[in-house]
Amino acid sequence: MTQVKVYPSLLSADFLTLNDELEALENAKVDGVHFDVMDGQFVPNISIGVPILDAVRKGTQLPIDVHLMIEHPEQYIPTIAEHGADLISVHVEATPHIHRAIQLIKQHDAKAGVVINPGTPISEIVPVLRDVDYVLVMTVNPGFGGQPFIENCIEKIDQLMELKSSQSLSFSIEVDGGINDKTAPVVKEHGADMLVVGSHFFQQSDYAAVTNQLKG
Ligand code: DX5
Ligand code: ZN
């Protein structure tokens, strides 16, 4: 099994003490921070955007993994990249031009990811698997932290692993939603190598312990 990377989702962090949170995450040796952008259109919630991204960029050296849950993502990719994102992922459901969006991310020197919702089949992203650095398999319907893991999304990890091997592809598989001490071992066993962890992570007081447990 490959070593997994852990990306705590800042949506569940304490925004009043964000700088301390970022320092604690660095000390806990997480692999990066996950940054959820929601527009109230693509998903039924709004969250954080460029001013907070600027603050996070100033507050940490950790890679920032931006998950765009917005309509017309192409319009915002250059800005998000210029404000410090290291990885940017775009939902296949959010644009008719997913290939163009992925190229745009790469042109701005960020790692490119494609995201699929629980209701979207893997076949929708097969045409771009060769182009992406990672596939983000949503294991909840996007929009909110703290939702329960949707079991049947695991099958998509299996399908992606098969495609990786049959087509000799090297993308990473990230999972996001309901990841905790029970679900992390399961998704890892199936082949996920990037874990986004929101509510479970920030509910713990010892971030190093939870990071080690999730990686373990
Ligand atoms: C949900 C977001 C997630 C969220 C995960 O739409 O994409 O990143 O923060 O939170 P948990 O781990 O609590 O499900
Ligand atoms: Zn996310």
Side-chain angles (χ1 to χ4, degrees):
M1 218 186 288
T2 43
Q3 174 74 61
V4 294
K5 293 187 171 172
V6 172
Y7 294 84
S9 171
L10 293 181
L11 207 54
S12 293
D14 181 354
F15 284 95
L16 282 180
T17 59
L18 195 50
N19 208 30
D20 295 340
E21 291 275 53
L22 292 169
E23 195 184 329
L25 293 174
E26 283 187 9
N27 291 337
K29 305 219 174 341
V30 303
D31 297 281
V33 290
H34 184 80
F35 189 99
D36 289 300
V37 182
M38 305 177 185
D39 66 353
Q41 299 295 319
F42 180 67
V43 289
N45 197 7
I46 54 174
S47 60
I48 47 179
V50 172
I52 307 290
L53 180 58
D54 281 339
V56 172
R57 185 66 295 164
K58 280 195 198 120
T60 186
Q61 304 283 328
L62 287 168
I64 304 176
D65 172 30
V66 177
H67 175 191
L68 293 178
M69 286 163 275
I70 61 175
E71 291 188 354
H72 308 297
E74 300 90 338
Q75 285 180 17
Y76 301 95
I77 286 166
T79 307
I80 294 288
E82 282 154 18
H83 286 260
D86 300 282
L87 303 93
I88 301 176
S89 61
V90 177
H91 275 260
V92 68
E93 304 87 358
T95 172
H97 304 295
I98 191 66
H99 183 270
R100 180 183 289 154
I102 288 161
Q103 302 311 319
L104 196 55
I105 295 170
K106 291 170 150 182
Q107 281 161 19
H108 286 82
D109 296 323
K111 299 266 187 217
V114 63
V115 195
I116 42 168
N117 279 335
T120 305
I122 287 292
S123 55
E124 294 287 319
I125 59 167
V126 167
V128 293
L129 288 179
R130 211 163 278 285
D131 302 297
V132 294
D133 297 294
Y134 61 110
V135 174
L136 169 46
V137 176
M138 288 308 297
T139 41
V140 297
N141 287 298
F144 303 90
Q147 303 179 81
F149 180 83
I150 300 172
E151 293 276 339
N152 58 16
C153 297
I154 293 172
E155 198 181 315
K156 289 188 200 168
I157 305 175
D158 295 338
Q159 291 168 355
L160 287 169
M161 291 299 281
E162 270 172 43
L163 286 161
K164 273 182 81 162
S165 127
S166 63
Q167 299 187 17
S168 303
L169 300 173
S170 59
F171 56 82
S172 287
I173 302 175
E174 182 173 49
V175 286
D176 182 7
I179 302 300
N180 56 36
D181 53 341
K182 311 275 183 318
T183 53
V186 180
V187 292
K188 274 158 53 181
E189 172 138 2
H190 283 260
D193 55 358
M194 296 166 72
L195 307 179
V196 176
V197 194
S199 49
H200 172 74
F201 193 99
F202 288 97
Q203 275 158 13
Q204 320 293 319
S205 51
D206 186 342
Y207 293 171
V210 63
T211 304
N212 289 336
Q213 189 193 34
L214 289 163
K215 283 178 179 254

